[in-house]
Amino acid sequence: MAAERDSDVRAPQAVSSDGAVYETATGRAEAHYYHFSHDKAGMGSVDKAKVAAVVHSMSEGSSFYRNEERRDARIQQQIEGMRRRWQALREGGLELEGAAATARRERAAMETRRRLDRVWVVVDMDMFFAAVEMRDKPELRDQPMAVGGTGMLSTANYAARKFGVRSAMPGFIALKLCPSLVIVRPNYDKYKAAAKLAKQVFRRFDPQCVALSLDEAYLDVTDAVSRKLGGLPAAEMAAFHEAVWDVVAAIRRDVSVATGGLTCSAGAAPNAMLAKIASDMNKPDGQCLVPFDAGSILGFVGALPLRKLPGIGRVSETQLGGLGLRVVADVRDEAARLHCVLSPRMATWLHRVSLGIAESGRSGSEAGAQYRRKSISLERTFRDEGSLAALQATVAKLASKLSLQMQGSKAAAEAGSSGADGRQAEAGRAGSEAGAAEDDGVQAARPPRGHVPGFFGMADSDSDSDDAGRPKVRPAMRGRTVTVKLKLASFKVLQRSATLAEPTNSAEVISAACKRLVAQESERFKAAHGGRPLVLRLLGVKMHGLVFDDDVDEEERAAAGHMCKLDDGSDEDDGADGGSPERADSAVVGQGRRPVLRAVLDERLRQMRRHSQQSQQQHPAKRARRQPGGSSGQRSLSGFVSIS
DNA sequence: TACATACAC
DNA sequence: TATGGTGTATGTA
């Protein structure tokens, strides 16, 4: 967020009930060369125009830039269509009146589902990778510094952000903006170690906390707050808020102690989406509490620029901006009209989040443990390559590495482990095995080979043990559908896939299937372009339709998957959209497919819950301690928090 | 199922 | 010297 906010822990009252915590000013997305939006923490004093000019001058004329221009043009066209429909809607017209009725019903139904009885905290480490490096090398502390490479930066410290340098910016552009910038290659092992220390703290406040990435975690601290209140119902909201505030402050303090001085920011709210948004409001080293009453929540979310909603990215922000909508309150006011212009799902999703309602439902409890990935992939960027033989060699190598990963920890152990990639973002996946692929030469013009143990560095560089120190068992898996991703020299991306008769994790089988797809595409391209070769800058190999070897009852799982509701039972469809719960969650802006306007986080948690439910259905013995809707024997906070 | 696209980190 | 990698989801055909 824009302002470099005062980093001290503040009194809860700092969050006024009308949501004034939030700082509105944030231009909507402009042309693509403003890519690196400067509304991040620490960017308050940046001369945006100057930064944009530099970025533009570095990009103009490049293949990358031309691709962005094409993309922007397409989006602008979509927006034109939307605007026409938007403006054609007449007050008192039949369509709009009907939509208004829908919106009213929808809102009433949603309010019914607003929950204020759980306390969610989202903790986000401040400039995580950079902070770790600074901790370990104090001489970097006052120096503009970033972690990454000349190709791409993962994160930058605040000294660097003053120059307009930020994460996801190419290093060579960052150096232009800030010639004295020190770029440090990433040390993932160190980051993982630090993340582990932080997680140990989180566990004390929520044994079931979920880490979404190395630097971010979701905690349901309802029980901790209850304990803090000494088991007595808080007579007043103020006392309750204070308890929440103190718990969050304690988490942050303990994280700092445990990690040797790393700071984090946190948000607390009645649901995870709001907590996530709040975690960003007082960065760095700050916290923000969203009051636990509907009125305050409406004020808080209402003032947010749409981009602050998790799930609204650059494209969606631009599209909605094209309709004149800038802040969340705008979409709330235009709920009816939006129902006419957006897909039902998108409209409903936007409406819901504009009310600050999310499925915070369960404690994060059931989320993590049973998580199953849906796909596994590797991709590599390299210098433009037009030789089919060289491309096929890269495909073979990717397929072999992927095969090894799919064979689980045994294969990984045999293959040994190695260092981490240099290019991974400040992330890691939810519950994932944080796939840091080895940084090998991209061009890989080596002949294809079978999986020779020990030849290819294994991807899972670290994490041969979990954070409790136990050896981590990675189940072997097989996949049924193989997909190759091809990024042309022009940056255009193609995807080709084939479904096999049997799930596999064999390097040979995967490799052969991928090569066939690449060869086909190569032919097709030549035929369509007068013999010109297909020139690529990236190749990727992905498998999905995964089955896991440690899934004992595969058929049962499949059967359960069919019958399984997509949400927790308490959260049944409110009838507002007449669809299944998952349909209520996302949608389309514009005519082409667009959407995803989903609170990703909220979605992810739900997704994980769904998995856990599936397996609970087949493994009753594994039932989570905390039952859905339950508070594990603790008192619910609904005794002293009004539920609207 | 195949493909394109958006999004998060 | 030159714009990343992994995973999730959705819409359309």
Side-chain angles (χ1 to χ4, degrees), chain A residues 161-487:
Chain A
R161 292 183 197 192
K162 290 200 179 114
F163 292 85
V165 174
R166 56 155 293 174
S167 64
M169 176 180 277
F172 70 90
I173 291 181
L175 285 168
K176 197 77 169 184
L177 289 168
C178 175
S180 65
L181 182 73
V182 176
I183 298 181
V184 178
R185 302 298 302 193
N187 294 286
Y188 288 98
D189 292 341
K190 272 163 61 168
Y191 312 148
K192 283 171 189 157
K196 189 175 181 173
L197 295 173
K199 189 160 186 193
Q200 284 165 3
V201 173
F202 301 149
R203 287 242 176 84
R204 296 210 304 270
F205 291 86
D206 175 8
Q208 323 255 21
C209 66
V210 177
L212 249 85
S213 63
L214 281 183
D215 78 332
E216 224 182 291
Y218 293 73
L219 289 71
D220 178 341
V221 299
T222 312
D223 295 349
V225 171
S226 288
R227 286 194 298 273
K228 176 110 195 155
L229 285 167
L232 298 170
E236 297 178 9
M237 190 71 103
F240 166 68
H241 283 161
E242 200 178 319
V244 173
W245 186 265
D246 291 346
V247 165
V248 176
I251 294 171
R252 296 202 303 116
R253 190 201 323 115
D254 291 359
V255 165
S256 184
V257 170
T259 58
L262 300 183
T263 64
C264 59
S265 299
N271 67 53
M273 179 190 72
L274 292 172
K276 163 72 175 160
I277 294 168
S279 73
D280 196 47
M281 312 245 17
N282 281 325
K283 238 171 187 321
D285 198 18
Q287 63 188 62
C288 171
L289 175 130
V290 180
F292 282 57
D293 70 272
S296 297
I297 290 168
L298 290 175
F300 175 80
V301 287
L304 298 170
L306 289 166
R307 186 60 193 270
K308 289 288 172 185
L309 299 175
I312 300 287
R314 180 169 67 98
V315 174
S316 303
E317 181 190 37
T318 305
Q319 288 175 329
L320 293 167
L323 301 179
L325 310 176
R326 298 282 185 281
V327 296
V328 173
D330 296 339
V331 316
R332 195 193 296 151
D333 295 342
E334 294 288 7
R337 207 176 285 263
L338 283 168
H339 264 289
C340 303
V341 168
L342 305 179
S343 80
R345 300 170 78 177
M346 164 68 130
T348 298
W349 176 81
L350 263 179
H351 197 185
R352 177 163 62 77
V353 300
S354 77
L355 297 168
I357 297 171
E359 351 231 340
S360 58
R362 306 299 142 247
S363 58
S365 328
E366 304 102 59
Q370 310 284 340
Y371 172 79
R372 288 293 193 201
R373 66 158 79 235
K374 293 190 158 35
S375 68
I376 184 167
S377 63
L378 283 176
E379 64 189 55
R380 217 44 80 199
T381 293
F382 39 78
R383 284 192 300 281
D384 290 0
E385 178 59 71
S387 149
L388 183 57
L391 294 172
Q392 298 290 40
T394 299
V395 167
K397 179 161 179 169
L398 289 168
S400 290
K401 292 177 76 163
L402 194 66
S403 156
L404 217 43
Q405 291 187 24
M406 295 179 76
Q407 286 165 28
S409 37
K410 203 183 299 174
E414 282 163 17
S417 45
S418 72
D421 193 273
R423 296 177 279 230
Q424 202 177 348
E426 183 172 328
R429 259 8 269 164
S432 85
E433 295 97 25
E438 187 203 4
D439 193 15
D440 48 9
V442 223
Q443 225 13 310
R446 297 178 223 161
R449 63 200 91 232
H451 58 281
V452 182
F455 189 90
F456 302 104
M458 189 46 212
D460 320 296
S461 58
D462 107 288
S463 46
D464 11 18
S465 62
D466 65 14
D467 12 51
R470 288 177 300 263
K472 191 184 271 181
V473 178
R474 261 183 267 284
M477 69 192 89
R478 281 181 265 264
R480 198 141 179 280
T481 302
V482 51
T483 300
V484 292
K485 175 172 167 181
L486 305 91
K487 192 187 279 181

Side-chain angles (χ1 to χ4, degrees), chain A residues 212 218 272-273 310-311 345 349 352-353 358-360 371 374 566-567 581-586 596-611:
Chain A
L212 249 85
Y218 293 73
M273 179 190 72
R345 300 170 78 177
W349 176 81
R352 177 163 62 77
V353 300
E359 351 231 340
S360 58
Y371 172 79
K374 293 190 158 35
L566 291 171
D567 218 331
E582 104 261 38
R583 280 222 336 228
D585 245 55
S586 104
V596 178
L597 291 186
R598 270 181 329 88
V600 164
L601 106 79
D602 148 320
E603 205 52 33
R604 259 187 215 161
L605 290 170
R606 198 174 62 168
Q607 188 65 33
M608 293 192 273
R609 281 204 302 278
R610 179 199 323 187
H611 282 287

Side-chain angles (χ1 to χ4, degrees), chain A residues 510-641:
Chain A
I510 297 170
S511 184
C514 290
K515 284 180 173 175
R516 196 165 351 109
L517 291 167
V518 171
Q520 274 170 15
E521 202 49 41
S522 171
E523 300 264 316
R524 187 180 323 180
F525 188 92
K526 271 188 207 158
H529 296 84
R532 232 165 4 110
L534 179 65
V535 180
L536 303 183
R537 71 185 325 276
L538 169 146
L539 273 168
V541 173
K542 166 157 72 180
M543 298 224 65
H544 60 281
L546 302 181
V547 296
F548 294 85
D549 285 2
D550 66 351
D551 263 342
V552 261
D553 301 314
E554 228 161 77
E555 301 98 87
E556 219 175 300
R557 167 177 282 274
H562 266 298
M563 314 174 359
C564 177
K565 301 255 298 195
L566 291 171
D567 218 331
D568 20 75
S570 68
D571 214 355
E572 82 266 24
D573 192 15
D574 57 16
D577 63 339
S580 63
E582 104 261 38
R583 280 222 336 228
D585 245 55
S586 104
V588 178
V589 179
Q591 59 258 58
R593 74 55 341 342
R594 183 76 334 89
V596 178
L597 291 186
R598 270 181 329 88
V600 164
L601 106 79
D602 148 320
E603 205 52 33
R604 259 187 215 161
L605 290 170
R606 198 174 62 168
Q607 188 65 33
M608 293 192 273
R609 281 204 302 278
R610 179 199 323 187
H611 282 287
S612 86
Q613 287 209 329
Q614 283 182 17
S615 58
Q616 280 175 18
Q617 286 186 356
Q618 357 163 348
H619 305 299
K622 283 196 204 161
R623 254 170 204 291
R625 290 185 303 106
R626 263 193 259 201
Q627 290 305 307
S631 46
S632 66
Q634 307 285 333
R635 114 198 72 283
S636 158
L637 293 176
S638 48
F640 43 84
V641 174

